Amino acid sequence: MDVNFGPQERILWPASVLAGIVMCGAVYEMTCTVSSRCFRGYSRLSHMQKVEWNNRGFSTFHALVAAAISFYFVVISDLFNEDVNGIIIDRKSWLSEAMFGVSIGYFLTDLAMILWYFPSLGGKEYLLHHGLSMYAIGLALLSGKAHMYILMVLFTEVTTPFVNLRWYLDVAGQKTCNLYLYNGVALFIGWLVARIILFVYLFTHMYHHYDQVRSIFTLGFYSLVAVPSTVSALNVFWFWKILKGMVKTLSRRRKHSENGKTD
């Protein structure tokens, strides 16, 4: 793997990682301040619930930013357009590099909190997910290869706000409200599209561009095959849990509705 640290990279990469860490800390404190003033139930939460509440605040913020930038590059911009000459796997942008650095800063911060409070903020599967994410993003950042595929994987973060809203409503005692149900359906659909179908498209795209994928350095090639495969397996595992949860919620709602009619 050839790593060329130009003047721009020497400043951009560490600055973007640091920006990601600072962003997490700032949003964490902002979530705490806003929640304590605008949500009466926040003061009644336990210390650990407050920590997770604030943690999910900066994870939501990162997810929205990462998904927006990934969508722009993969869908809207011409950076990875098939009609443009050049090898797709070699294409990159300073903004995609900056986003990768910010994401590494986010994953480092979140991983540090998960380890500090382990296992309250997440189990071993989260350690695996974050470790693989930082490894893949870091490899793409250092090599300048496969930015398109990393951006596709980052776009899957679009489901995170729905996951976090589900937790917020649960902790706030709002599991019976309509918003909890609608959010659950949106989470199911979003997860199916962004974390299942999108990965099918990713692997299909890699198959049709196998000559380009195979042309990169050996570690990058095997990582490009192994990391998305492992993450997709985790996504299927979590999707199964989401499906069971949604079925359970809908079943409970139907029984409640039938009991209401009987009364």
Side-chain angles (χ1 to χ4, degrees), residues 62-229:
H62 166 264
L64 293 173
V65 174
I69 292 179
S70 299
F71 182 82
Y72 168 74
F73 276 120
V74 176
V75 179
I76 300 176
S77 78
D78 293 328
L79 182 61
F80 303 110
N81 193 321
E82 296 278 1
D83 298 328
V84 178
N85 293 328
I87 300 177
I88 291 179
I89 203 139
D90 288 340
R91 299 179 194 175
K92 61 180 181 177
S93 163
W94 71 267
L95 183 56
S96 65
E97 291 184 327
M99 185 66 249
F100 291 169
V102 169
S103 292
I104 289 176
Y106 158 72
F107 282 118
L108 278 172
T109 306
D110 199 39
L111 183 61
M113 291 191 66
I114 290 173
L115 290 172
W116 184 263
Y117 293 103
F118 191 81
S120 299
L121 294 180
K124 295 178 181 178
E125 66 273 16
Y126 286 91
L127 299 179
L128 177 61
H129 175 270
H130 283 28
L132 287 175
S133 297
M134 286 190 293
Y135 168 76
I137 294 172
L139 202 60
L141 192 60
L142 291 172
S143 67
K145 305 288 186 180
H147 279 215
M148 178 181 180
Y149 297 127
I150 300 300
L151 287 167
M152 283 186 184
V153 175
L154 268 182
F155 178 74
T156 63
E157 290 292 305
V158 73
T159 60
T160 299
F162 299 109
V163 175
N164 290 341
L165 180 57
R166 182 178 183 273
W167 184 88
Y168 284 135
L169 292 171
D170 187 6
V171 170
Q174 299 296 318
K175 291 184 69 172
T176 58
C177 70
N178 288 331
L179 180 58
Y180 186 87
L181 176 63
Y182 299 150
N183 179 73
V185 174
L187 173 60
F188 173 80
I189 297 173
W191 200 282
L192 177 63
V193 173
R195 290 185 182 259
I196 303 298
I197 297 176
L198 180 59
F199 268 81
V200 174
Y201 174 77
L202 185 151
F203 289 124
T204 302
H205 191 279
M206 287 174 57
Y207 174 78
H208 288 297
H209 296 80
Y210 181 77
D211 56 331
Q212 296 186 27
V213 174
R214 195 68 185 88
S215 68
I216 66 176
F217 57 100
T218 304
L219 178 61
F221 170 72
Y222 287 111
S223 298
L224 198 53
V225 173
V227 174
S229 299

